[in-house]
Amino acid sequence: MIPHTSLNLSGERFNVIYKFRGDEATARGKARGICFEQTIEFPADLVGDDDIRGQIFGRVESFRPLDDIHFEATVSYAAESSGFELTQLLNVILGNSSIKPGIRVQRLELSERLLAAFKGPRFGRDGLRERLGVKERPLLATALKPMGLSPESLADYAYQFALGGIDIIKDDHGLANQSFSPFKERVELCAAAVARANAETGFNSIYMPNLTAPADQIMDKARFAKQAGAGGLMIAPGLAGFDGMRRLADDDNIALPILTHPAFQGSFVTSPDNGISHYTLFGQMARLAGADGTIFPNYGGRFSFSRDECGEIVEGTAVSMHNLKPIFPVPGGGMYLDSIADMSAFYGQDVIYLIGGGLHRGDGLAETCRRFRQLIA
Amino acid sequence: MIPHTSLNLSGERFNVIYKFRGDEATARGKARGICFEQTIEFPADLVGDDDIRGQIFGRVESFRPLDDIHFEATVSYAAESSGFELTQLLNVILGNSSIKPGIRVQRLELSERLLAAFKGPRFGRDGLRERLGVKERPLLATALKPMGLSPESLADYAYQFALGGIDIIKDDHGLANQSFSPFKERVELCAAAVARANAETGFNSIYMPNLTAPADQIMDKARFAKQAGAGGLMIAPGLAGFDGMRRLADDDNIALPILTHPAFQGSFVTSPDNGISHYTLFGQMARLAGADGTIFPNYGGRFSFSRDECGEIVEGTAVSMHNLKPIFPVPGGGMYLDSIADMSAFYGQDVIYLIGGGLHRGDGLAETCRRFRQLIA
């Protein structure tokens, strides 16, 4: 037996709603198992009747069938088991259980005290609208690409996009710090190009470089980008870590809007019975880590997300999470101007439309962007 | 059309071997698609006959059936597209394609010039053996747990494990910086306890704290741990980012052996047609990011890895990767002393056995550890 342990805990707990695949007995076993796997990872019979058993063990709070082979359980954990850190919170939510097939995180219900440890999105929907001076209409975004173009050519595109009234002009996530497009040179030229266009148009377009970079360079690059006039930052937490994004978002000296990019995160969602739901990964977790907008592949493009899955993400961007602001869904990926009518019915006003390669077909970039903007208005 | 672009690239390319699910036409389409998705993410017909087309585009180098519904393709990319950074290299390997079902990374074949940009494991198998003074036998490891115990109780366990001759005594990955077990207090007490036991036994046991922590705390905590006498560090790249681990491993002032923990990484492997192979994720990528040993769930325990998948990981720890040293496979998870005979036949000598909760059953910890060590010798 381990030493009898008294803990001075608050009693506050947070809930994770899991979906299990299997017959009822299997699913109940998985629900019970997760109470140990995500906490003590230790033989329960070696723990006496103490606060580790009473508080640290996960608790199955409810259990119900979804269909013949899927069951849903709410499991609660002591708020203190998270250490009030994002890395350890994610670890309690799914750490080792990510390795077990047939377990999927459906939703998080995080308590007020736990969420108070996270700043979450600095701007959120309202803050980003205010910064961009756009009251009601959807926001427009595009990506600078393809990989291989010089900083000068990318900056020329940025200028034309801004002339055409695109609100957010971001690096493609494949633009890093390659020899053919060094980060600093690109950021300076693109930020200046957007500023030049704004001076002509009176718009408030912003340039958002890709901050997905080596761990020891992210903060320096962010400071450089801000200094150079970048109006926001994009980062892929699948590559840089969710907490790498959280750190960037929390820094009061940087204080720029953040878009999260889904690169390298897809494996969490591609198998419907494993991993994490679209709702939680691209909605709730993105907000926990401080994103102001969450990029994801739109239904009907070259990716496989369904309308329902995209709808889930939209819900996750706005569901009440105490102090964490609602953020923008940013559907993109193989979108074209003629998708807008259908998307408008689906997403409504609180959305950022991300159109990349599609803008390059037509009568000149700036002109195509103006049509994009007219379509929205 | 985009501007005609001349690039001054080396011509050196690296290969990613992908498995695709689908009929042959579908698989060929996926292979071709990945050449754009992972690089230009842009309509190919808008790129002229220039170096972007000739160099930056991915190239299908070979294509073959594996069975009726699985095909394998080797796709090559320009070394420079990686920017010689781990974050961008991982992005080129699987970034957006992680979001498409039916694509799995099977193996990496990285060129010498690309690998020269990565230090990889500082110690590797030989270096860790030398540091621990263990020439030929398998190494022994255990985890301090359960979550909820005080630093004093954990340190007492660490002392007994070290007395019993366990080589590596690591924090459970659920020990972070919680109120009931603050990081600094735990690290000081556990490192001191292991040193005290070493002084009695003459062994070289080391204590490895869990460095999975907020992005802005990892390096400071590592320095603290080294100062306090920790003999190695464990980190979960699924939570802290692969590059968070790479940064830790590369730091010449810290210079301690690193174990990588699989928490939150499971979704890459649990679906056999998506994500990343066991071989690449736990073998090749762990080495790229500087791990000296890679923890994974052993076959036959409470996780689902098969013998074949564990065998793949062992291969990935030792396959030639130019300057990157071979590292230790560290099977763990629901192992007991009576698993050792079978594991010994399977893993041979170059392995670290990780037994956690199983050591707590029997006639006192130190005595059980001695039996563990006798079983190995």
Side-chain angles (χ1 to χ4, degrees):
Chain A
M1 298 292 285
I2 64 160
H4 188 95
T5 300
S6 294
L7 298 169
N8 190 18
L9 303 189
S10 64
E12 184 163 331
R13 301 182 73 80
F14 65 90
N15 291 332
V16 181
I17 292 89
Y18 298 97
K19 180 173 77 172
F20 301 107
R21 185 189 169 94
D23 58 26
E24 181 168 344
T26 305
R28 284 193 186 273
K30 285 184 178 179
R32 272 192 306 272
I34 220 167
C35 295
F36 310 123
E37 189 67 54
Q38 295 307 105
T39 56
I40 57 163
E41 219 201 318
F42 196 81
D45 62 299
L46 298 179
V47 180
D49 188 18
D50 67 0
D51 282 350
I52 293 181
R53 176 174 295 273
Q55 303 278 334
I56 297 293
F57 282 22
R59 271 182 222 152
V60 179
E61 303 284 355
S62 68
F63 183 91
R64 70 184 180 101
L66 295 173
D67 58 38
D68 285 354
I69 55 159
H70 293 99
F71 295 82
E72 190 177 86
T74 297
V75 177
S76 74
Y77 302 102
E80 289 85 353
S81 64
S82 73
F84 302 96
E85 299 173 341
L86 186 56
T87 39
Q88 173 61 8
L89 175 60
L90 296 174
N91 188 34
V92 174
I93 291 168
L94 190 67
N96 267 8
S97 291
S98 73
I99 313 171
K100 295 184 171 178
I103 297 176
R104 188 167 173 104
V105 173
Q106 298 276 81
R107 291 189 303 288
L108 307 177
E109 293 172 356
L110 303 179
S111 59
E112 195 164 351
R113 177 157 171 265
L114 174 54
L115 282 174
F118 298 95
K119 289 188 187 173
R122 182 180 293 269
F123 297 88
R125 291 185 184 177
D126 292 346
L128 194 54
R129 281 193 177 285
E130 193 175 334
R131 201 168 175 96
L132 293 171
V134 179
K135 286 221 174 98
E136 283 179 354
R137 65 165 169 83
L139 300 175
L140 306 183
T142 192
L144 298 172
K145 47 187 175 182
M147 184 198 289
L149 278 191
S150 67
E152 290 77 10
S153 294
L154 294 167
D156 181 55
Y157 281 163
Y159 175 71
Q160 294 181 60
F161 286 138
L163 274 190
I166 303 291
D167 301 298
I168 298 173
I169 297 149
K170 72 171 193 67
D171 283 349
D172 189 44
H173 73 286
L175 305 186
N177 189 30
Q178 295 101 333
S179 54
F180 43 77
S181 180
F183 178 85
K184 289 190 173 180
E185 194 179 334
R186 179 174 78 245
V187 169
E188 283 185 330
L189 289 175
C190 292
V194 171
R196 202 165 71 245
N198 283 341
E200 295 179 37
T201 59
F203 294 150
N204 292 309
S205 298
I206 59 174
Y207 165 62
M208 279 197 180
N210 176 25
L211 257 287
T212 310
D216 39 352
Q217 297 178 20
I218 292 176
M219 300 308 288
D220 285 346
K221 283 190 165 143
R223 282 183 279 268
F224 179 88
K226 177 159 188 169
Q227 187 72 28
L233 306 168
M234 182 180 77
I235 186 165
L239 297 162
F242 263 121
D243 204 72
M245 182 160 85
R246 194 273 316 153
R247 182 186 188 187
L248 193 58
D250 279 2
D251 191 292
D252 290 333
N253 294 314
I254 293 170
L256 289 173
I258 308 275
L259 287 186
T260 175
H261 190 283
F264 216 72
Q265 284 188 311
S267 302
F268 286 111
V269 301
T270 40
S271 168
D273 292 331
N274 299 329
I276 304 174
S277 70
H278 297 71
Y279 172 92
T280 293
L281 184 71
F282 296 118
Q284 294 186 297
M285 288 181 177
R287 288 163 74 191
L288 266 173
D292 299 292
T294 182
I295 299 173
F296 60 92
N298 190 36
Y299 63 85
R302 66 187 190 281
F303 293 90
S304 64
F305 285 15
S306 66
R307 286 174 81 100
D308 282 354
E309 289 165 343
C310 293
E312 262 189 42
I313 295 171
V314 174
E315 277 181 59
T317 64
V319 62
S320 171
M321 289 179 79
H322 299 286
N323 56 311
L324 301 196
K325 299 183 175 90
I327 64 172
F328 277 106
V330 189
M335 283 174 47
Y336 298 93
L337 292 185
D338 51 17
S339 325
I340 296 291
D342 180 67
M343 290 178 71
S344 173
F346 185 77
Y347 289 107
Q349 298 289 87
D350 279 328
V351 61
I352 301 176
Y353 290 119
L354 173 59
I355 302 198
L359 289 179
H360 289 263
R361 299 196 188 279
D363 315 323
L365 270 192
E367 188 47 40
T368 308
C369 295
R370 282 185 201 106
R371 277 192 44 226
F372 186 14
R373 194 150 158 170
Q374 280 159 6
L375 273 173
I376 301 299
Chain B
M1 297 294 284
I2 64 161
H4 187 95
T5 300
S6 294
L7 298 168
N8 189 17
L9 302 189
S10 65
E12 184 163 332
R13 300 181 74 80
F14 65 91
N15 292 332
V16 181
I17 292 90
Y18 298 97
K19 180 173 77 172
F20 302 107
R21 186 191 168 93
D23 59 26
E24 181 168 345
T26 305
R28 284 193 186 274
K30 285 184 179 180
R32 271 192 306 272
I34 220 167
C35 295
F36 310 123
E37 189 66 54
Q38 294 308 106
T39 57
I40 56 163
E41 218 201 320
F42 196 82
D45 62 298
L46 298 180
V47 180
D49 188 17
D50 66 359
D51 283 350
I52 293 181
R53 176 175 294 274
Q55 303 278 335
I56 298 291
F57 281 23
R59 272 183 220 151
V60 179
E61 303 284 355
S62 69
F63 183 89
R64 70 184 180 103
L66 295 173
D67 58 38
D68 285 354
I69 54 161
H70 293 98
F71 295 82
E72 191 177 85
T74 297
V75 177
S76 75
Y77 303 101
E80 287 86 352
S81 66
S82 73
F84 302 96
E85 300 174 339
L86 185 56
T87 39
Q88 173 61 7
L89 174 60
L90 296 175
N91 189 35
V92 174
I93 291 168
L94 190 67
N96 267 10
S97 291
S98 73
I99 313 172
K100 295 184 171 179
I103 297 177
R104 188 167 173 105
V105 173
Q106 298 276 81
R107 290 188 304 287
L108 308 176
E109 293 172 355
L110 304 179
S111 60
E112 195 164 351
R113 175 156 172 266
L114 175 54
L115 282 174
F118 297 95
K119 290 188 187 172
R122 181 181 293 270
F123 296 89
R125 290 187 185 176
D126 292 347
L128 194 54
R129 283 193 177 283
E130 192 176 336
R131 202 167 173 96
L132 293 170
V134 178
K135 287 220 174 98
E136 284 179 353
R137 66 166 170 81
L139 300 175
L140 307 182
T142 192
L144 298 172
K145 48 186 172 181
M147 184 198 288
L149 278 191
S150 66
E152 290 77 10
S153 294
L154 294 166
D156 181 54
Y157 281 164
Y159 175 71
Q160 295 181 60
F161 286 137
L163 273 190
I166 303 292
D167 301 298
I168 298 172
I169 298 149
K170 71 171 194 67
D171 283 349
D172 189 45
H173 73 287
L175 305 186
N177 189 29
Q178 296 101 334
S179 53
F180 42 77
S181 179
F183 177 84
K184 290 191 172 179
E185 194 179 334
R186 180 175 77 246
V187 169
E188 284 187 329
L189 289 175
C190 291
V194 170
R196 203 166 70 245
N198 282 342
E200 293 179 37
T201 59
F203 295 150
N204 291 312
S205 298
I206 60 174
Y207 165 62
M208 279 198 180
N210 176 25
L211 257 286
T212 311
D216 40 352
Q217 297 178 20
I218 292 177
M219 300 307 287
D220 284 346
K221 283 190 164 144
R223 284 183 277 269
F224 178 88
K226 177 159 189 170
Q227 186 72 28
L233 306 168
M234 182 180 77
I235 186 164
L239 297 162
F242 263 121
D243 204 73
M245 183 161 85
R246 193 272 317 153
R247 181 187 188 187
L248 193 58
D250 279 2
D251 191 291
D252 290 332
N253 293 314
I254 293 170
L256 288 174
I258 308 274
L259 287 186
T260 174
H261 191 282
F264 216 73
Q265 283 187 311
S267 301
F268 286 111
V269 300
T270 40
S271 168
D273 292 331
N274 300 327
I276 304 174
S277 70
H278 297 72
Y279 172 92
T280 294
L281 183 71
F282 297 118
Q284 294 186 295
M285 288 182 177
R287 288 163 73 191
L288 266 173
D292 299 291
T294 182
I295 299 173
F296 61 91
N298 190 36
Y299 63 84
R302 67 187 190 282
F303 293 90
S304 64
F305 285 15
S306 67
R307 284 174 82 100
D308 283 354
E309 289 164 344
C310 293
E312 263 189 40
I313 296 171
V314 174
E315 277 181 59
T317 63
V319 63
S320 171
M321 289 178 79
H322 299 285
N323 57 312
L324 302 196
K325 300 184 175 87
I327 64 172
F328 277 106
V330 190
M335 283 175 46
Y336 297 93
L337 291 187
D338 51 16
S339 324
I340 295 291
D342 180 66
M343 290 177 72
S344 174
F346 185 77
Y347 289 106
Q349 298 288 88
D350 279 328
V351 60
I352 301 177
Y353 290 119
L354 172 59
I355 302 197
L359 289 179
H360 288 264
R361 299 196 189 277
D363 315 324
L365 270 191
E367 189 46 40
T368 308
C369 295
R370 283 185 201 106
R371 277 192 45 225
F372 186 12
R373 193 148 159 173
Q374 280 158 8
L375 273 173
I376 302 300

